[in-house]
Amino acid sequence: MDQFNYSPEGVLHCEDININSLVEKVGTPLYVYSANSFRDHYKRFKEAFAAIDPLICFSIKTCNNIHLIQELVELGSGIDTVSGGEIFLARQANTPADKIVYAGIGKTDEEIAYALDEGIGVFNIESEEEFENISRIAAQKKKRIKAALRVTPDVIDARTHDKTKTGNRGSKFGVDIERAKAFFNTYGKDEYVDLCGVHIHIGSPIYTPKPYELAIRKITSLIDYLTDQGHDMKIIDIGGGYSADYSLGMSPKWEEFAEVIVPLLKPYYDKGMQVIMEPGRTISANSGVLLTEVNYVKKGGDKQFAVVNTGMHHLLRPAMYEAEHFMWPGNVEKKHLISERIIDKEEATKGLEKYDVVGPICESSDYLAKGRNLPQLKRGDLLCIFTAGAYGMVMSSQYNAMPRPAEVMIDGEEIFLIRERESYQDLLTGLEKRKID
Ligand code: LLP
């Protein structure tokens, strides 16, 4: 479980910090991130793909606290963005502009102008109209930029949830691969937009290397064709999607992905093309947890519910994608002690009870786990929801007027508050009434 481990006495720790003392200081619900996990995942991911020296652009749609982004930027990471707001946060975290890539099917004129002014590295373009619009704004500003065309290679991972598949024909992203040749013929010699790359992102998460293999084969043959046609191809961006471990919390085996991906891209790297990768959750998911407290235990029909002080407003993934996050109490008796190595052993899972773990929101979809085997829970118990560092806080809301949680970053023995817990007062932000003339 990376840096989230139980002491022999049964107390969960993040790095060197005892979770009980942390909660005493900061309270719950609380997002807790391990700085060492972030750094370690980035370094090991980079190492796995070293043979093609990719520009790794961490996808901050997974987790956009600037203090965490900064940890990766300091190691040389670039950033994958999809909005003006994300470009702003990336810049606030000191990301060099030329290491920022910018995708998204709905780039507004204001966002495009902002990205041009900042001088970002690569625009990933998603449609003909968008190309023309970017070219028009770049011409006004007399700026020449680099761009890659996002194509949908018609490859998916069957296990990817329908709501997060993107590589299929007919998806709203990019252009169908058959249209890509015509796209380059029409726009390949633009004065302001140097269309010199191909981009894919086939979905999230992708569990095995196979879909990457199929998609990369398709786009490398497209690149071969375009090169033959006289286009100077400089960039190949294979997007994100690399999975995270939602059950045991162990780091994914990036080497297994690299073993398949590297040989396919190496010839293009050797020819001088730059490889870009946009990993998100594979770096951040297992680097963060959501700590919550049991408010009530109650019965309903044949079920037993643990009502906790967090829910779909703080972690939407179970309600939205039926996602299953491993969870376990913050303090356990020795017989329920787990680590990544012994979690499946019978002695740890004996004597468990079944719970639906639910939140306080007035919707039946507000649940975090259904029929989950857990050690007996009671009011006041701490519960840790693992693998919550990606698509957790970023997708949170104030639904039911519940303030958002605080965020802390642990680095060895040090605790940093990196986002204040919201207060009732925050529910009034921007609500000053004023007449518009
Ligand atoms: N690049 C592009 C263009 C993307 O659209 C995404 C994610 C990524 C990179 C990063 O993907 P990752 O490596 O994190 O899988 N909210 C959903 C996932 C939505 C993914 C959106 N795009 C979830 O919680 O599962």
Side-chain angles (χ1 to χ4, degrees):
M1 240 173 255
D2 288 340
Q3 298 284 343
F4 298 94
N5 291 301
Y6 286 84
S7 68
E9 296 74 39
V11 181
L12 182 64
H13 283 63
C14 172
E15 304 206 8
D16 297 334
I17 299 296
N18 174 319
I19 239 74
N20 296 318
S21 65
L22 178 65
V23 166
E24 234 165 73
K25 293 186 177 99
V26 200
T28 62
L30 180 65
Y31 271 100
V32 184
Y33 304 95
S34 152
N36 275 297
S37 292
F38 261 91
R39 294 190 290 252
D40 174 60
H41 292 174
Y42 171 81
K43 284 186 202 155
R44 284 168 44 213
F45 186 89
K46 191 171 168 62
E47 219 169 273
F49 292 92
I52 48 173
D53 191 24
L55 172 63
I56 292 166
C57 292
F58 172 61
S59 191
I60 59 170
K61 62 176 74 63
T62 65
C63 178
N64 65 23
N65 190 301
I66 59 166
H67 304 287
L68 296 165
I69 304 172
Q70 223 154 13
E71 292 294 327
L72 300 179
V73 169
E74 273 168 24
L75 295 176
S77 181
I79 299 294
D80 161 48
T81 64
V82 285
S83 66
E86 286 193 351
I87 293 171
F88 173 77
L89 290 177
R91 295 292 283 146
Q92 289 293 307
N94 302 324
T95 315
D98 62 353
K99 286 188 174 178
I100 296 176
V101 296
Y102 177 27
I105 64 166
K107 301 178 185 83
T108 64
D109 292 5
E110 293 72 25
E111 288 178 313
I112 293 165
Y114 175 54
L116 287 166
D117 290 342
E118 289 295 305
I120 64 137
V122 185
F123 282 73
N124 287 327
I125 294 185
E126 312 238 9
S127 68
E128 289 83 352
E129 276 199 0
E130 185 198 321
F131 185 97
E132 291 182 13
N133 199 31
I134 293 175
S135 172
R136 179 183 63 82
I137 299 171
Q140 278 167 6
K141 291 183 175 286
K142 306 224 172 331
K143 295 225 166 155
R144 184 160 164 83
I145 51 145
K146 274 199 252 170
L149 174 63
R150 178 165 178 180
V151 300
T152 40
D154 204 14
V155 173
I156 50 160
D157 182 335
R159 275 176 70 196
T160 306
H161 195 280
D162 271 347
K163 289 181 179 157
T164 57
K165 282 182 181 139
T166 51
N168 50 307
R169 220 179 118 74
S171 107
K172 71 173 184 176
F173 299 99
V175 305
D176 298 340
I177 196 154
E178 309 89 70
R179 289 228 312 279
K181 293 176 185 171
F183 199 112
F184 270 83
N185 285 341
T186 311
Y187 300 115
K189 301 274 181 274
D190 193 83
E191 198 180 337
Y192 293 98
V193 181
D194 177 13
L195 186 64
C196 60
V198 175
H199 172 231
I200 49 169
H201 170 71
I202 53 178
S204 309
I206 304 294
Y207 294 91
T208 64
K210 192 73 190 170
Y212 288 100
E213 181 186 349
L214 298 175
I216 291 171
R217 282 193 196 285
K218 286 194 179 179
I219 58 164
T220 49
S221 85
L222 172 65
I223 287 170
D224 292 345
Y225 170 86
L226 294 169
T227 307
D228 284 348
Q229 295 293 303
H231 296 286
D232 183 10
M233 301 303 288
K234 300 177 190 133
I235 295 162
I236 182 163
D237 181 341
I238 62 166
Y242 321 92
S243 60
D245 184 341
Y246 284 88
S247 48
L248 300 188
M250 288 157 85
S251 301
K253 295 190 173 58
W254 296 297
E255 296 71 20
E256 288 174 8
F257 284 85
E259 218 169 275
V260 173
I261 292 172
V262 167
L264 295 170
L265 295 180
K266 184 78 166 49
Y268 298 86
Y269 167 75
D270 288 341
K271 275 187 246 169
M273 284 185 77
Q274 179 181 39
V275 176
I276 300 178
M277 301 175 82
E278 303 168 352
R281 87 178 75 222
T282 204
I283 288 177
S284 52
N286 292 124
S287 302
V289 301
L290 175 56
L291 282 182
T292 183
E293 235 169 285
V294 177
N295 265 351
Y296 301 104
V297 175
K298 63 178 274 186
K299 294 244 170 17
D302 300 333
K303 288 186 184 168
Q304 183 169 225
F305 295 94
V307 185
V308 296
N309 68 355
T310 191
M312 67 186 295
H313 51 322
H314 301 158
L315 182 65
L316 187 57
R317 304 192 71 258
M320 181 122 170
Y321 316 111
E322 294 90 40
E324 293 191 355
H325 286 248
F326 177 70
M327 56 186 74
W328 207 243
N331 298 282
V332 289
E333 289 174 42
K334 281 205 172 148
K335 64 178 179 190
H336 293 313
L337 198 53
I338 54 152
S339 75
E340 59 195 42
R341 288 162 294 280
I342 64 164
I343 185 172
D344 283 333
K345 289 238 176 102
E346 260 189 48
E347 53 268 37
T349 49
K350 254 188 217 157
L352 302 181
E353 295 192 20
K354 258 197 201 336
Y355 292 94
D356 276 18
V357 179
V358 299
I361 297 291
C362 294
E363 287 212 29
S364 299
S365 59
D366 178 26
Y367 77 95
L368 295 163
K370 284 187 176 162
R372 191 66 67 85
N373 286 317
L374 287 163
Q376 193 178 36
L377 295 172
K378 60 177 189 325
R379 183 171 157 79
D381 280 353
L382 272 183
L383 193 60
C384 178
I385 302 164
F386 290 86
T387 321
Y391 306 109
M393 187 64 173
V394 286
M395 292 176 78
S396 66
S397 72
Q398 294 175 333
Y399 189 31
N400 283 194
M402 300 216 186
R404 290 188 184 82
E407 291 184 299
V408 294
M409 176 177 81
I410 309 293
D411 197 349
E413 293 177 341
E414 294 183 304
I415 304 170
F416 299 94
L417 182 66
I418 55 172
R419 193 189 303 266
E420 293 281 354
R421 181 178 303 291
E422 283 183 349
S423 66
Y424 289 154
Q425 203 55 37
D426 291 317
L427 300 175
L428 298 176
T429 304
L431 288 186
E432 292 80 19
K433 182 175 172 186
R434 65 191 166 90
K435 190 161 177 291
I436 311 270
D437 296 317

